[in-house]
Amino acid sequence: MKKKEAQKRIQKLRDQLNYHNYRYYVLDDPEISDAEYDKLFRGLQSLEEQFPHLVTSDSPTQRVGAPPLEAFRTVEHKIPMLSLDNAFGYDEAREFDARVKRLLGNTDDIEYAVEPKIDGVAVELVYERGVFTLGLTRGDGYVGEDITLNLKTIKSIPLKLLSNDSTMPERLEVRGEVYYPTSKFKKLNEERQAKGESTFANPRNAAAGTLRQLDSGITAERPLDIFVHGRGQITGYEFKSHFEALEAFKKWGFRVNPYITVCNGIEAVIERCTEIAEFREELDYEIDGAVIKVNNLALQGDLGMRTRSPRWAVALKFEAKQEVTQILEIKAQVGRTGALTPVATMKPVKIGGVEITRATLHNQDEVDRKDVRVGDWVVVQRAGDVIPEVVKVIESRRTGDEKKYHLPDTCPVCGSRVVRIEGEAVHRCQNLSCPAQLKEGIRHFASKGAMDIEGFGERLVDQLVEKGLVKNIADIYSLTKDQFVGLERMAEKSAQNIIDAIEASKKVDLARFLYALGVRFVGEHVSRVLAREFGTLENLKKASIERLQQVYEIGPQVAESVHEFFSEKHNLETIDRLLKAGVKIKEPAVLEDSKLAGKTFVFTGSLEQFTRSDAEQTVERLGGRAASSVSGSTDFVVVGAGPGSKAEKARELGIKILSEKEFTQMVED
Ligand code: IVH
């Protein structure tokens, strides 16, 4: 092949590869199979091998990593990369708006762009005549480090801009945030741990560590991604608004966050921020707030900059999920199944507005893996409703006085032997009548989602067990008023209230009853699934492992646990005693003609007439299914006030959207 011919073919292959790369990594909507892509890629590789002098830095073959560097060189930013002022809470966001209006001498509503604030690493990408030539870290804001080779390995960064119109900027600097997808972060830490390397405390540290690799071959193996959100120096091109610039970036092949909207006036901005906060947990990247930016670039210019931050933007911070504190003590807690869990008591620290003093260390393996010691300074985290956990030790704060911890060999509650069964992560107390297990079991049995016996608090349960009044959950139903009156702080009246509450709890539906029994792996949701599928306790008792596994959402672990539970003589005796004591199980009515039967519902936003859990239970009672995320198999999405991304996704997928009123109507029918 002649050089000229090769050059033409190479160019064509590069254009094709760039285009398909964009479809795959930016739009998430590929047009060809991986195998077809690989074929094009290998074709280009082989041509470039034959004609090495035709290899250019923007070729798709140049993404895979280059020989390691000694150090990064530093480069000055043409325009400083500033930081953002923070607003904590909506009132401070309103103050920001008032300031903007005052400075502009304007009383009309301002148009703002509202964006998720990505918790990643800030970078600048420089394109000269459409080709990616330089990529920098933010550094101190004035001088950054040249991490071009590392950035090239990120597939959603265009090496060459798409749509080659002649009006393209001569020089284009875009700024964005590189992040480590949360879904892949856990795997990274597991792999590092297996290799004996230190783990990253959070995805942002993983992104920063990966971008600062001198060996870009390592960066190439990690799934970094990027959203671009701002401009640096741009020559030969004009925009009127920030949003218009983002639209152009998209057109040129950059990945722009899909949740950016333009809002009129600060109240609309606040509403949008509430929505973003609501879908925060559903995203595959961490966000630590929302950025509010004056959209009109002329107004941005009028407002100008302070030394470190622009006057036209503010970051509305969400509550942090992680904080640093010190471990004062580690103790073993004995659960309902006899499992010993190491729990750390820490100096009190606030996370997301809630004061935390205790965090779980899960099990001995976790204590050893993270090498957590008493006295250590640690990163603790709380996400959603889960129990706070210790993420990582800050080794640099060790003084040498820290003490290693090991779970005890004997149960801290009953003194019996503690055993770790081979292949299991947990240590268990071997005493089946260990008071700790009994106490936890009773508390669970009486709890709100189970038999819902009001007044069965921790203190009362402790006394009932310690005085030998309750040795088995069924004993609850033979307790007398006199027995309660004899207990601490128990007057006639409260004793009567408890007796009434116990009596009231006797009428229970099958799902709650199952949940109350405390079968391993059977939480509230699984209980409802089982109750709906089997209808009666008798049917469930008879079900084989195979039959259980046929149920949608029931896996092998749950099936085995349920089967084992109902094969155990003691458990069957307890159930018999409960029924003899007067517990009446209301079995779910079969509602085959219900409009909801077999349909999957997803709820988003807050409803007026129902709590989320009530609404889900209603659906399930009527034979439907409640799911937490929208997918192709969703039939209806019920939208309340302040809906999140689920509503948008439903619209995209063409799924039927119901208002609360329509949903209520359907249920009443
Ligand atoms: S705009 C002049 N938009 O947050 C500053 N920044 O705390 C313009 N960040 O350094 C920044 N998401 O690295 C902007 N949608 C977003 C952002 C964002 C994350 C980062 C950025 C900045 C830091 C400030």
Side-chain angles (χ1 to χ4, degrees):
M1 198 185 309
K2 293 232 183 64
K3 187 176 160 196
K4 212 156 178 197
E5 168 71 11
Q7 185 138 31
K8 250 172 124 185
R9 298 219 351 219
I10 284 178
Q11 197 48 54
K12 178 146 186 240
L13 282 168
R14 282 181 191 159
D15 288 346
Q16 283 176 313
L17 284 162
N18 278 333
Y19 174 73
H20 291 301
N21 185 74
Y22 167 77
R23 299 286 320 185
Y24 189 95
Y25 289 101
V26 179
L27 300 185
D28 207 0
D29 184 19
E31 281 178 353
I32 60 173
S33 69
D34 290 1
E36 285 168 298
Y37 184 91
D38 287 343
K39 204 167 148 214
L40 293 175
F41 193 86
R42 280 195 307 270
L44 176 62
Q45 254 177 340
S46 109
L47 274 175
E48 286 183 352
E49 270 163 31
Q50 289 171 52
F51 299 92
H53 52 286
L54 293 180
V55 178
T56 56
S57 71
D58 65 337
S59 170
T61 56
Q62 304 303 299
R63 284 190 187 272
V64 286
L69 301 173
E70 295 276 330
F72 297 116
R73 75 182 174 117
T74 54
V75 179
E76 199 173 329
H77 295 290
K78 298 265 184 210
I79 298 177
M81 284 181 82
L82 299 182
S83 176
L84 287 170
D85 233 22
N86 289 329
F88 295 97
Y90 294 146
D91 282 340
E92 289 190 21
R94 290 188 180 99
E95 282 168 26
F96 161 76
D97 174 61
R99 204 161 52 234
V100 165
K101 285 181 177 159
R102 201 178 55 241
L103 289 169
L104 294 174
N106 189 346
T107 51
D108 298 341
D109 275 349
I110 305 279
E111 193 178 81
Y112 292 107
V114 184
E115 318 184 343
K117 184 170 188 295
I118 317 295
D119 196 7
V121 181
V123 298
E124 177 166 77
L125 312 173
V126 182
Y127 291 78
E128 286 168 305
R129 269 169 253 105
V131 176
F132 179 49
T133 50
L134 180 66
L136 302 174
T137 61
R138 175 170 180 272
D140 62 4
Y142 298 93
V143 177
E145 283 174 314
D146 176 353
I147 52 164
T148 312
L149 291 175
N150 287 340
L151 289 170
K152 271 191 178 172
T153 69
I154 301 178
K155 308 281 206 316
S156 51
I157 292 181
L159 297 180
K160 200 171 152 223
L161 299 185
L162 285 185
S163 93
N164 249 329
D165 61 39
S166 54
T167 59
M168 266 218 294
E170 177 67 17
R171 181 186 173 91
L172 168 70
E173 295 180 359
V174 295
R175 292 171 177 184
E177 207 76 3
V178 170
Y179 67 89
Y180 208 104
T182 39
S183 59
K184 298 180 177 141
F185 171 68
K186 205 169 155 221
K187 187 161 159 261
L188 171 73
N189 267 351
E190 280 166 7
E191 284 169 5
R192 288 178 69 82
Q193 195 221 326
K195 283 192 254 162
E197 294 169 347
S198 66
T199 52
F200 292 112
N202 50 48
R204 176 165 38 85
N205 289 0
T210 304
L211 274 186
R212 301 203 74 261
Q213 282 289 336
L214 289 166
D215 179 354
S216 57
I218 297 178
T219 313
E221 287 168 7
R222 306 243 182 103
L224 292 179
D225 214 330
I226 189 171
F227 283 121
V228 305
H229 55 57
R231 295 159 299 126
Q233 189 188 60
I234 299 181
T235 53
Y237 211 94
E238 296 285 329
F239 299 109
K240 286 203 174 55
S241 72
H242 173 66
F243 199 75
E244 191 189 301
L246 296 180
E247 289 293 322
F249 294 168
K250 263 197 245 175
K251 194 181 77 191
W252 292 334
F254 292 100
R255 201 159 165 258
V256 174
N257 189 280
Y259 299 109
I260 300 178
T261 52
V262 173
C263 299
N264 242 315
I266 193 69
E267 293 311 317
V269 166
I270 287 171
E271 211 171 289
R272 180 61 187 165
C273 291
T274 313
E275 286 172 12
I276 296 177
E278 199 194 307
F279 60 69
R280 176 184 190 185
E281 305 287 342
E282 291 167 29
L283 303 172
D284 197 22
Y285 41 92
E286 297 209 323
I287 64 176
D288 56 348
V291 186
I292 306 168
K293 302 173 179 173
V294 170
N295 191 34
N296 184 310
L297 296 186
L299 296 184
Q300 280 193 7
D302 292 345
L303 288 160
M305 310 278 184
R306 277 174 296 246
T307 339
R308 303 192 52 83
S309 57
R311 288 200 187 84
W312 45 261
V314 76
L316 176 74
K317 297 287 272 197
F318 295 160
E319 283 151 345
K321 296 203 286 190
Q322 293 190 335
E323 285 298 341
V324 171
T325 185
Q326 192 181 22
I327 294 188
L328 305 173
E329 190 185 20
I330 301 178
K331 267 191 172 169
Q333 195 173 295
V334 190
R336 185 153 49 86
T337 59
L340 267 64
T341 306
V343 176
T345 308
M346 309 162 307
K347 277 195 182 151
V349 60
K350 267 198 167 177
I351 308 182
V354 180
E355 189 172 86
I356 311 268
T357 53
R358 280 147 47 99
T360 179
L361 289 158
H362 301 293
N363 54 50
Q364 187 66 46
D365 281 353
E366 287 284 298
V367 174
D368 297 342
R369 181 174 75 78
K370 294 176 183 158
D371 188 19
V372 181
R373 305 179 192 177
V374 178
D376 265 336
W377 285 87
V378 291
V379 176
V380 284
Q381 109 180 336
R382 184 183 149 255
D385 295 333
V386 302
I387 306 166
E389 61 169 358
V390 172
V391 178
K392 186 188 166 82
V393 172
I394 302 175
E395 274 175 46
S396 58
R397 292 186 76 166
R398 282 214 169 130
T399 60
D401 293 337
E402 295 76 16
K403 301 227 158 36
K404 288 213 180 217
Y405 176 82
H406 201 285
L407 282 169
D409 298 329
T410 55
C411 172
V413 177
C414 71
S416 308
R417 218 159 42 93
V418 165
V419 172
R420 176 177 181 170
I421 296 167
E422 236 184 80
E424 265 203 56
V426 287
H427 286 68
R428 260 180 232 286
C429 163
Q430 295 301 297
N431 175 8
L432 282 180
S433 45
C434 170
Q437 294 184 42
L438 184 58
K439 282 178 189 172
E440 280 296 316
I442 296 171
R443 261 181 231 134
H444 173 81
F445 183 79
S447 68
K448 209 157 167 41
M451 302 300 278
D452 193 14
I453 310 179
E454 221 180 297
F456 250 65
E458 196 162 327
R459 266 256 194 56
L460 180 64
V461 173
D462 284 353
Q463 293 184 67
L464 291 172
V465 171
E466 279 154 25
K467 294 217 151 67
L469 295 173
V470 177
K471 298 198 182 72
N472 174 296
I473 46 175
D475 294 338
I476 294 173
Y477 292 95
S478 40
L479 288 168
T480 62
K481 190 168 151 192
D482 287 346
Q483 285 175 316
F484 281 111
V485 173
L487 302 177
E488 240 174 70
R489 298 194 195 182
M490 197 49 91
E492 280 271 329
K493 179 92 174 56
S494 25
Q496 186 58 49
N497 288 346
I498 296 241
I499 290 288
D500 293 346
I502 293 176
E503 192 56 34
S505 76
K506 285 182 178 171
K507 273 207 198 96
V508 65
D509 63 39
L510 180 58
R512 279 170 170 272
F513 184 74
L514 282 178
Y515 174 62
L517 292 176
V519 185
R520 271 183 95 191
F521 310 123
V522 179
E524 284 182 87
H525 179 70
V526 171
S527 304
R528 291 204 295 264
V529 170
L530 291 172
R532 195 177 59 225
E533 177 73 22
F534 291 94
T536 68
L537 188 62
E538 283 313 305
N539 287 344
L540 182 60
K541 273 193 201 164
K542 289 187 300 213
S544 66
I545 295 188
E546 293 71 32
R547 171 69 187 90
L548 283 159
Q549 274 206 65
Q550 284 165 4
V551 182
Y552 183 67
E553 286 187 302
I554 303 295
Q557 202 182 29
V558 178
E560 195 182 323
S561 168
V562 170
H563 183 77
E564 222 172 72
F565 184 89
F566 289 111
S567 313
E568 170 64 46
K569 205 171 107 227
H570 291 107
N571 294 335
L572 297 176
E573 278 169 13
T574 301
I575 292 173
D576 274 347
R577 282 188 57 202
L578 287 167
L579 298 179
K580 284 214 181 84
V583 171
K584 284 244 164 351
I585 302 174
K586 290 181 282 178
E587 278 151 7
V590 184
L591 286 165
E592 272 162 8
D593 55 354
S594 147
K595 262 197 202 164
L596 282 69
K599 300 281 190 245
T600 301
F601 286 72
V602 172
F603 293 88
T604 178
S606 51
L607 303 178
E608 277 172 20
Q609 310 285 333
F610 304 83
T611 63
R612 182 71 64 89
S613 141
D614 282 346
E616 290 177 356
Q617 284 186 34
T618 304
V619 164
E620 287 170 1
R621 223 178 25 246
L622 294 172
R625 211 174 76 78
S628 56
S629 60
V630 177
S631 71
S633 56
T634 310
D635 296 292
F636 298 102
V637 173
V638 182
V639 175
S645 59
K646 292 177 197 168
E648 271 172 54
K649 183 144 187 215
R651 254 172 237 123
E652 271 170 33
L653 294 177
I655 291 164
K656 178 114 180 81
I657 293 184
L658 299 176
S659 65
E660 177 168 357
K661 208 165 149 212
E662 290 167 314
F663 173 68
T664 313
Q665 187 76 50
M666 201 167 178
V667 168
E668 281 168 359
D669 283 352

